[in-house]
Amino acid sequence: MAEVTLIKAINDALATEMTRDPSVCVLGEDVGLDGGVFRATEGLLKRFGPGRVVDTPLNEVGIVGMSIGMAMNGLRPVAEIEFSDFIYPAFDQIVSEMSKMRYRSAGQFTAAVVLRAPSGGGVRGGHYHSQSPEAYYIHTAGLVVVMPSTPADAKGLLSSAIRGEDPVIFLEPKALYRTVKGEVPQGEYLVPLGVGRIVRPGDDLTLIAWGAMVPVAEKAAAAAASEGVGVEIIDPRTLWPLDIEMIESSVRRTGRAVVLHEAPRTCGFGAEISALIQERCFLHLKAPVGRVTGFDTPFPYALEKSYLPDPERTLRAIRASMAF
């Protein structure tokens, strides 16, 4: 296995799936000659040609609308939105059309579109390049929402998303694009959607984190271990459908849970996970479910480090749960 960055793993998944299936095509702003704003599609135009790697105008509504039509006519479009913050002009196409196509046509049509979008902060991108919008899409029935945290998961989950029959919002934590490396299997490689990953085993507290917060969780868990607290970290990988059975099994054993995400706190996905734990594990809980999140403000350019959850804030939440 080769050791590559997360962005290289995404490029590998696209090339592998385009080689396997001639109906897979890539479209988006600057995905051709420039290889995308983060170079995720680098080299694909030369390898697969302009018929399958399509540079589009700056028009997110058009990108998503065209992708839906392509999918309904038998293609497998993988569309790149340069930043997840730019996806909102296409919000109606996503939540009213793409998500409902299979249901409203009683299965006569599908919209098997994968929308790739760099998500989250940590790269000093400011207000319009740093948002974490996963909750909007998890709230929309009919969409699968994925966020990997390792190169191997990025390749395996993206390949599974491309092969599926449901529309997928594939959120890529851009802070990890070139800051994490890992071994990635060569050739075809699949990670099933809807199955979480135990990042680190532990017996005292369950810490649920995804995307760029997984490395933060690992640092906090290491610090907690030095204080004698065993933290089990769970990365859901697919945010919806959620592997709630894995979380439930862990919390029933540890009796304590903290949810960590960088999106704002109110109505963030941590609130839903907290409610599910409450419903399923109430009699096993030794402390209230804790949350460590971004703040209920626009993403602040100058105060990015203060906004984003860090290992110290996470460790404080772990200590509070253990002391309850």
Side-chain angles (χ1 to χ4, degrees):
M1 289 192 288
E3 185 171 88
V4 300
T5 61
L6 195 144
I7 194 77
K8 283 292 185 185
I10 289 169
N11 181 269
D12 185 9
L14 292 171
T16 300
E17 292 304 306
M18 293 179 79
T19 301
R20 181 190 64 82
D21 181 354
S23 71
V24 178
C25 49
V26 169
L27 68 156
E29 298 158 7
D30 298 324
V31 298
L33 283 174
D34 289 340
V37 65
F38 289 101
R39 306 296 181 263
T41 56
E42 192 168 42
L44 299 182
L45 176 63
K46 183 177 181 180
R47 187 169 172 183
F48 298 101
R52 297 180 64 193
V53 181
V54 182
D55 274 324
T56 68
L58 299 177
N59 184 339
E60 281 73 20
V61 178
I63 293 170
V64 176
M66 186 161 59
S67 297
I68 295 170
M70 293 164 73
M72 291 176 64
N73 285 279
L75 297 176
R76 291 272 170 175
V78 184
E80 177 178 294
I81 304 296
E82 286 194 331
F83 291 86
S84 62
D85 316 60
F86 299 170
I87 208 170
Y88 300 124
F91 195 71
D92 181 54
Q93 289 281 352
I94 295 170
V95 303
S96 299
E97 306 298 339
M98 190 173 84
S99 65
K100 295 176 173 60
M101 189 57 66
R102 194 174 180 185
Y103 187 85
R104 70 189 289 193
S105 68
Q108 296 181 78
F109 300 101
T110 63
V113 176
V114 178
L115 292 183
R116 295 183 38 250
S119 177
V123 297
R124 298 189 65 77
H127 295 73
Y128 300 111
H129 302 79
S130 305
Q131 297 174 71
S132 299
E134 62 266 29
Y136 295 125
Y137 305 109
I138 295 167
H139 186 67
T140 301
L143 296 177
V144 174
V145 183
V146 179
M147 189 183 293
S149 66
T150 69
D153 280 355
K155 177 175 179 178
L157 291 166
L158 181 55
S159 292
S160 293
I162 292 170
R163 297 186 190 192
E165 294 300 323
D166 293 308
V168 177
I169 306 295
F170 197 87
L171 298 170
E172 300 166 2
K174 56 183 173 291
L176 303 185
Y177 269 158
R178 291 179 171 82
T179 58
V180 299
K181 272 190 166 184
E183 291 188 339
V184 176
Q186 294 176 313
E188 294 186 28
Y189 174 64
L190 299 174
V191 173
L193 302 177
V195 179
R197 175 174 69 100
I198 295 178
V199 179
R200 174 189 178 118
D203 296 323
D204 298 319
L205 182 143
T206 303
L207 179 59
I208 303 112
W210 51 91
M213 290 295 103
V214 173
V216 173
E218 290 181 286
K219 291 178 181 177
S226 69
E227 300 177 6
V229 177
V231 174
E232 179 152 289
I233 302 173
I234 292 178
D235 174 4
R237 305 194 287 195
T238 305
L239 301 183
W240 204 259
L242 177 68
D243 190 351
I244 186 60
E245 287 78 15
M246 177 178 285
I247 294 171
E248 179 180 353
S249 175
S250 177
V251 175
R252 281 175 175 260
R253 183 166 46 79
T254 65
R256 293 181 169 86
V258 172
V259 187
L260 168 63
H261 64 68
E262 64 177 280
R265 180 183 179 89
T266 301
C267 293
F269 192 43
E272 177 64 25
I273 294 177
S274 299
L276 288 170
I277 292 172
Q278 166 80 6
E279 289 172 357
R280 291 169 173 255
C281 307
F282 179 70
L283 295 178
H284 299 268
L285 288 174
K286 302 171 185 173
V289 180
R291 282 185 287 167
V292 183
T293 70
F295 299 109
D296 291 336
T297 68
F299 193 93
Y301 173 71
L303 297 173
E304 183 176 71
K305 286 188 176 178
S306 298
Y307 177 90
L308 290 171
D310 59 17
E312 288 72 26
R313 281 173 59 190
T314 309
L315 183 59
R316 287 200 294 272
I318 293 170
R319 287 171 177 161
S321 180
M322 295 303 298
F324 183 83

